[in-house]
PDB file of all heavy atoms in Angstrom:
ATOM      1  N   PRO Y   9      92.597 110.577  87.887  1.00  0.00           N
ATOM      2  CA  PRO Y   9      92.397 112.001  87.941  1.00  0.00           C
ATOM      3  C   PRO Y   9      91.246 112.468  86.953  1.00  0.00           C
ATOM      4  O   PRO Y   9      90.567 113.443  87.292  1.00  0.00           O
ATOM      5  CB  PRO Y   9      93.804 112.560  87.649  1.00  0.00           C
ATOM      6  CG  PRO Y   9      94.720 111.468  87.963  1.00  0.00           C
ATOM      7  CD  PRO Y   9      94.038 110.163  87.844  1.00  0.00           C
ATOM      8  N   VAL Y  12      87.940 112.058  88.607  1.00  0.00           N
ATOM      9  CA  VAL Y  12      87.808 113.087  89.767  1.00  0.00           C
ATOM     10  C   VAL Y  12      87.437 114.374  89.061  1.00  0.00           C
ATOM     11  O   VAL Y  12      86.496 115.042  89.531  1.00  0.00           O
ATOM     12  CB  VAL Y  12      89.103 113.197  90.418  1.00  0.00           C
ATOM     13  CG1 VAL Y  12      88.918 114.403  91.474  1.00  0.00           C
ATOM     14  CG2 VAL Y  12      89.516 111.957  91.215  1.00  0.00           C
ATOM     15  N   TYR Y  16      83.964 116.610  89.757  1.00  0.00           N
ATOM     16  CA  TYR Y  16      83.843 117.981  90.172  1.00  0.00           C
ATOM     17  C   TYR Y  16      83.205 118.919  89.109  1.00  0.00           C
ATOM     18  O   TYR Y  16      82.579 119.886  89.478  1.00  0.00           O
ATOM     19  CB  TYR Y  16      85.301 118.511  90.492  1.00  0.00           C
ATOM     20  CG  TYR Y  16      85.666 118.222  91.927  1.00  0.00           C
ATOM     21  CD1 TYR Y  16      86.624 117.192  92.184  1.00  0.00           C
ATOM     22  CD2 TYR Y  16      85.041 118.850  93.015  1.00  0.00           C
ATOM     23  CE1 TYR Y  16      87.037 116.750  93.526  1.00  0.00           C
ATOM     24  CE2 TYR Y  16      85.257 118.451  94.476  1.00  0.00           C
ATOM     25  CZ  TYR Y  16      86.294 117.386  94.523  1.00  0.00           C
ATOM     26  OH  TYR Y  16      86.609 117.096  95.853  1.00  0.00           O
ATOM     27  N   ASN Y  31      84.591 128.307  99.124  1.00  0.00           N
ATOM     28  CA  ASN Y  31      85.546 127.275  99.779  1.00  0.00           C
ATOM     29  C   ASN Y  31      84.923 125.891  99.705  1.00  0.00           C
ATOM     30  O   ASN Y  31      83.645 125.757  99.928  1.00  0.00           O
ATOM     31  CB  ASN Y  31      85.786 127.650 101.286  1.00  0.00           C
ATOM     32  CG  ASN Y  31      86.595 128.681 101.530  1.00  0.00           C
ATOM     33  OD1 ASN Y  31      87.748 128.874 101.143  1.00  0.00           O
ATOM     34  ND2 ASN Y  31      85.994 129.882 102.157  1.00  0.00           N
ATOM     35  N   LEU Y  32      85.689 124.956  99.129  1.00  0.00           N
ATOM     36  CA  LEU Y  32      85.145 123.687  98.855  1.00  0.00           C
ATOM     37  C   LEU Y  32      85.866 122.591  99.870  1.00  0.00           C
ATOM     38  O   LEU Y  32      86.626 121.828  99.287  1.00  0.00           O
ATOM     39  CB  LEU Y  32      85.226 123.277  97.357  1.00  0.00           C
ATOM     40  CG  LEU Y  32      84.787 122.075  96.820  1.00  0.00           C
ATOM     41  CD1 LEU Y  32      83.343 121.769  97.302  1.00  0.00           C
ATOM     42  CD2 LEU Y  32      84.839 122.185  95.248  1.00  0.00           C
ATOM     43  N   HIS Y  33      85.726 122.963 101.140  1.00  0.00           N
ATOM     44  CA  HIS Y  33      86.459 122.023 102.084  1.00  0.00           C
ATOM     45  C   HIS Y  33      85.765 122.073 103.366  1.00  0.00           C
ATOM     46  O   HIS Y  33      84.771 122.787 103.540  1.00  0.00           O
ATOM     47  CB  HIS Y  33      87.920 122.321 102.192  1.00  0.00           C
ATOM     48  CG  HIS Y  33      88.219 123.787 102.546  1.00  0.00           C
ATOM     49  ND1 HIS Y  33      88.776 124.605 101.668  1.00  0.00           N
ATOM     50  CD2 HIS Y  33      87.860 124.599 103.660  1.00  0.00           C
ATOM     51  CE1 HIS Y  33      88.868 125.884 102.263  1.00  0.00           C
ATOM     52  NE2 HIS Y  33      88.263 125.692 103.450  1.00  0.00           N
ATOM     53  N   GLY Y  73      95.069 121.760  93.335  1.00  0.00           N
ATOM     54  CA  GLY Y  73      93.628 121.297  93.549  1.00  0.00           C
ATOM     55  C   GLY Y  73      92.744 122.549  94.034  1.00  0.00           C
ATOM     56  O   GLY Y  73      92.362 122.570  95.124  1.00  0.00           O
ATOM     57  N   CYS Y  74      92.666 123.569  93.180  1.00  0.00           N
ATOM     58  CA  CYS Y  74      92.203 124.811  93.546  1.00  0.00           C
ATOM     59  C   CYS Y  74      90.775 124.927  93.638  1.00  0.00           C
ATOM     60  O   CYS Y  74      90.214 126.082  94.072  1.00  0.00           O
ATOM     61  CB  CYS Y  74      92.673 125.781  92.504  1.00  0.00           C
ATOM     62  SG  CYS Y  74      92.065 125.427  90.846  1.00  0.00           S
ATOM     63  N   GLY Y  75      90.007 123.936  93.348  1.00  0.00           N
ATOM     64  CA  GLY Y  75      88.408 123.962  93.495  1.00  0.00           C
ATOM     65  C   GLY Y  75      87.936 125.096  92.607  1.00  0.00           C
ATOM     66  O   GLY Y  75      88.337 125.355  91.441  1.00  0.00           O
ATOM     67  N   PRO Y  79      89.809 129.840  98.038  1.00  0.00           N
ATOM     68  CA  PRO Y  79      90.980 130.082  98.887  1.00  0.00           C
ATOM     69  C   PRO Y  79      92.209 131.004  98.142  1.00  0.00           C
ATOM     70  O   PRO Y  79      92.713 131.892  98.677  1.00  0.00           O
ATOM     71  CB  PRO Y  79      91.437 128.624  99.120  1.00  0.00           C
ATOM     72  CG  PRO Y  79      90.331 127.886  99.099  1.00  0.00           C
ATOM     73  CD  PRO Y  79      89.479 128.447  98.032  1.00  0.00           C
ATOM     74  N   VAL Y  94      95.646 124.907  90.079  1.00  0.00           N
ATOM     75  CA  VAL Y  94      95.399 123.754  89.158  1.00  0.00           C
ATOM     76  C   VAL Y  94      94.294 122.919  89.677  1.00  0.00           C
ATOM     77  O   VAL Y  94      94.177 122.672  90.845  1.00  0.00           O
ATOM     78  CB  VAL Y  94      96.729 122.877  88.808  1.00  0.00           C
ATOM     79  CG1 VAL Y  94      97.716 123.755  88.110  1.00  0.00           C
ATOM     80  CG2 VAL Y  94      97.169 122.334  90.008  1.00  0.00           C
ATOM     81  N   THR Y  95      93.512 122.331  88.697  1.00  0.00           N
ATOM     82  CA  THR Y  95      92.496 121.483  89.153  1.00  0.00           C
ATOM     83  C   THR Y  95      92.281 120.513  87.870  1.00  0.00           C
ATOM     84  O   THR Y  95      92.720 120.905  86.700  1.00  0.00           O
ATOM     85  CB  THR Y  95      91.087 122.095  89.331  1.00  0.00           C
ATOM     86  OG1 THR Y  95      89.987 121.153  89.248  1.00  0.00           O
ATOM     87  CG2 THR Y  95      90.840 123.299  88.358  1.00  0.00           C
ATOM     88  N   VAL Y  96      91.666 119.414  88.040  1.00  0.00           N
ATOM     89  CA  VAL Y  96      91.463 118.487  86.918  1.00  0.00           C
ATOM     90  C   VAL Y  96      90.118 118.622  86.435  1.00  0.00           C
ATOM     91  O   VAL Y  96      89.567 117.846  85.599  1.00  0.00           O
ATOM     92  CB  VAL Y  96      91.671 116.999  87.404  1.00  0.00           C
ATOM     93  CG1 VAL Y  96      93.109 116.643  87.386  1.00  0.00           C
ATOM     94  CG2 VAL Y  96      90.977 116.539  88.730  1.00  0.00           C
ATOM     95  N   GLN Y 100      85.467 123.834  87.003  1.00  0.00           N
ATOM     96  CA  GLN Y 100      86.154 124.487  88.056  1.00  0.00           C
ATOM     97  C   GLN Y 100      87.142 125.674  87.640  1.00  0.00           C
ATOM     98  O   GLN Y 100      86.998 126.756  88.047  1.00  0.00           O
ATOM     99  CB  GLN Y 100      86.852 123.609  89.039  1.00  0.00           C
ATOM    100  CG  GLN Y 100      85.976 122.727  89.873  1.00  0.00           C
ATOM    101  CD  GLN Y 100      86.698 122.069  90.970  1.00  0.00           C
ATOM    102  OE1 GLN Y 100      87.894 121.645  90.829  1.00  0.00           O
ATOM    103  NE2 GLN Y 100      86.026 121.626  92.011  1.00  0.00           N
ATOM    104  N   ALA Y 122      95.268 121.071  85.005  1.00  0.00           N
ATOM    105  CA  ALA Y 122      96.569 120.319  85.112  1.00  0.00           C
ATOM    106  C   ALA Y 122      96.433 119.264  86.133  1.00  0.00           C
ATOM    107  O   ALA Y 122      95.664 119.370  87.205  1.00  0.00           O
ATOM    108  CB  ALA Y 122      97.725 121.158  85.374  1.00  0.00           C
ATOM    109  N   ASP Y 123      97.182 118.207  86.029  1.00  0.00           N
ATOM    110  CA  ASP Y 123      97.224 117.133  86.999  1.00  0.00           C
ATOM    111  C   ASP Y 123      98.450 117.315  87.937  1.00  0.00           C
ATOM    112  O   ASP Y 123      99.459 117.516  87.477  1.00  0.00           O
ATOM    113  CB  ASP Y 123      97.506 115.708  86.108  1.00  0.00           C
ATOM    114  CG  ASP Y 123      97.361 114.597  87.177  1.00  0.00           C
ATOM    115  OD1 ASP Y 123      97.352 114.817  88.359  1.00  0.00           O
ATOM    116  OD2 ASP Y 123      97.481 113.465  86.502  1.00  0.00           O
ATOM    117  N   ALA Y 124      98.175 117.291  89.124  1.00  0.00           N
ATOM    118  CA  ALA Y 124      99.163 117.522  90.228  1.00  0.00           C
ATOM    119  C   ALA Y 124     100.241 116.494  90.244  1.00  0.00           C
ATOM    120  O   ALA Y 124     101.349 116.716  90.786  1.00  0.00           O
ATOM    121  CB  ALA Y 124      98.412 117.573  91.681  1.00  0.00           C
ATOM    122  N   LEU Y 140      94.894 122.182  99.552  1.00  0.00           N
ATOM    123  CA  LEU Y 140      93.854 122.256 100.532  1.00  0.00           C
ATOM    124  C   LEU Y 140      92.822 121.093 100.197  1.00  0.00           C
ATOM    125  O   LEU Y 140      92.083 121.273  99.285  1.00  0.00           O
ATOM    126  CB  LEU Y 140      93.304 123.688 100.590  1.00  0.00           C
ATOM    127  CG  LEU Y 140      92.314 124.174 101.614  1.00  0.00           C
ATOM    128  CD1 LEU Y 140      92.498 123.533 103.022  1.00  0.00           C
ATOM    129  CD2 LEU Y 140      92.348 125.584 101.790  1.00  0.00           C
ATOM    130  N   GLU Y 141      92.797 120.068 100.976  1.00  0.00           N
ATOM    131  CA  GLU Y 141      91.929 118.967 100.854  1.00  0.00           C
ATOM    132  C   GLU Y 141      91.793 118.432  99.489  1.00  0.00           C
ATOM    133  O   GLU Y 141      90.732 118.199  98.931  1.00  0.00           O
ATOM    134  CB  GLU Y 141      90.541 119.488 101.298  1.00  0.00           C
ATOM    135  CG  GLU Y 141      89.790 118.379 102.185  1.00  0.00           C
ATOM    136  CD  GLU Y 141      88.452 119.001 102.762  1.00  0.00           C
ATOM    137  OE1 GLU Y 141      88.477 119.834 103.711  1.00  0.00           O
ATOM    138  OE2 GLU Y 141      87.341 118.823 102.297  1.00  0.00           O
ATOM    139  N   SER Y 142      92.963 118.356  98.776  1.00  0.00           N
ATOM    140  CA  SER Y 142      92.957 117.814  97.380  1.00  0.00           C
ATOM    141  C   SER Y 142      93.766 116.603  97.237  1.00  0.00           C
ATOM    142  O   SER Y 142      93.510 115.695  96.465  1.00  0.00           O
ATOM    143  CB  SER Y 142      93.523 118.900  96.423  1.00  0.00           C
ATOM    144  OG  SER Y 142      94.652 119.363  96.754  1.00  0.00           O
ATOM    145  N   HIS Y 145      92.283 112.884  96.936  1.00  0.00           N
ATOM    146  CA  HIS Y 145      91.969 112.179  95.781  1.00  0.00           C
ATOM    147  C   HIS Y 145      93.030 111.557  94.994  1.00  0.00           C
ATOM    148  O   HIS Y 145      92.873 110.868  93.984  1.00  0.00           O
ATOM    149  CB  HIS Y 145      91.220 113.218  94.781  1.00  0.00           C
ATOM    150  CG  HIS Y 145      89.931 113.840  95.192  1.00  0.00           C
ATOM    151  ND1 HIS Y 145      88.782 113.110  95.469  1.00  0.00           N
ATOM    152  CD2 HIS Y 145      89.660 115.052  95.709  1.00  0.00           C
ATOM    153  CE1 HIS Y 145      87.810 113.973  95.882  1.00  0.00           C
ATOM    154  NE2 HIS Y 145      88.424 115.095  96.083  1.00  0.00           N
ATOM    155  N   MET Y 146      94.253 111.917  95.426  1.00  0.00           N
ATOM    156  CA  MET Y 146      95.339 111.508  94.538  1.00  0.00           C
ATOM    157  C   MET Y 146      95.854 110.065  94.807  1.00  0.00           C
ATOM    158  O   MET Y 146      95.955 109.688  95.950  1.00  0.00           O
ATOM    159  CB  MET Y 146      96.470 112.648  94.630  1.00  0.00           C
ATOM    160  CG  MET Y 146      95.791 113.929  94.233  1.00  0.00           C
ATOM    161  SD  MET Y 146      97.072 115.221  94.171  1.00  0.00           S
ATOM    162  CE  MET Y 146      95.914 116.651  94.097  1.00  0.00           C
TER     163      MET Y 146
HETATM  164  N1  SAH N   1      91.257 123.366  97.459  1.00  0.00           N
HETATM  165  C1  SAH N   1      90.035 123.736  97.166  1.00  0.00           C
HETATM  166  C2  SAH N   1      89.281 122.479  96.488  1.00  0.00           C
HETATM  167  C3  SAH N   1      89.134 121.229  97.231  1.00  0.00           C
HETATM  168  S1  SAH N   1      88.175 119.997  96.367  1.00  0.00           S
HETATM  169  C4  SAH N   1      89.389 124.280  98.418  1.00  0.00           C
HETATM  170  O1  SAH N   1      89.706 123.905  99.484  1.00  0.00           O
HETATM  171  O2  SAH N   1      88.352 125.008  98.128  1.00  0.00           O
HETATM  172  C5  SAH N   1      89.491 118.949  95.674  1.00  0.00           C
HETATM  173  C6  SAH N   1      90.170 119.629  94.474  1.00  0.00           C
HETATM  174  O3  SAH N   1      91.275 118.786  94.199  1.00  0.00           O
HETATM  175  C7  SAH N   1      89.384 119.687  93.215  1.00  0.00           C
HETATM  176  O4  SAH N   1      89.608 121.091  92.628  1.00  0.00           O
HETATM  177  C8  SAH N   1      89.939 118.698  92.317  1.00  0.00           C
HETATM  178  O5  SAH N   1      89.819 118.965  91.028  1.00  0.00           O
HETATM  179  C9  SAH N   1      91.290 118.692  92.755  1.00  0.00           C
HETATM  180  N2  SAH N   1      92.107 117.518  92.388  1.00  0.00           N
HETATM  181  C10 SAH N   1      91.912 116.160  92.679  1.00  0.00           C
HETATM  182  N3  SAH N   1      92.839 115.465  92.067  1.00  0.00           N
HETATM  183  C11 SAH N   1      93.670 116.309  91.400  1.00  0.00           C
HETATM  184  C12 SAH N   1      94.762 116.029  90.585  1.00  0.00           C
HETATM  185  N4  SAH N   1      95.303 114.734  90.174  1.00  0.00           N
HETATM  186  N5  SAH N   1      95.423 117.133  89.986  1.00  0.00           N
HETATM  187  C13 SAH N   1      94.960 118.399  90.204  1.00  0.00           C
HETATM  188  N6  SAH N   1      93.923 118.527  91.029  1.00  0.00           N
HETATM  189  C14 SAH N   1      93.282 117.695  91.578  1.00  0.00           C
END
Side-chain angles (χ1 to χ4, degrees):
V12 178
Y16 280 105
N31 288 300
L32 184 46
H33 56 244
C74 59
V94 296
T95 164
V96 284
Q100 287 189 331
D123 183 353
L140 186 34
E141 220 172 288
S142 56
H145 296 289
M146 299 187 196

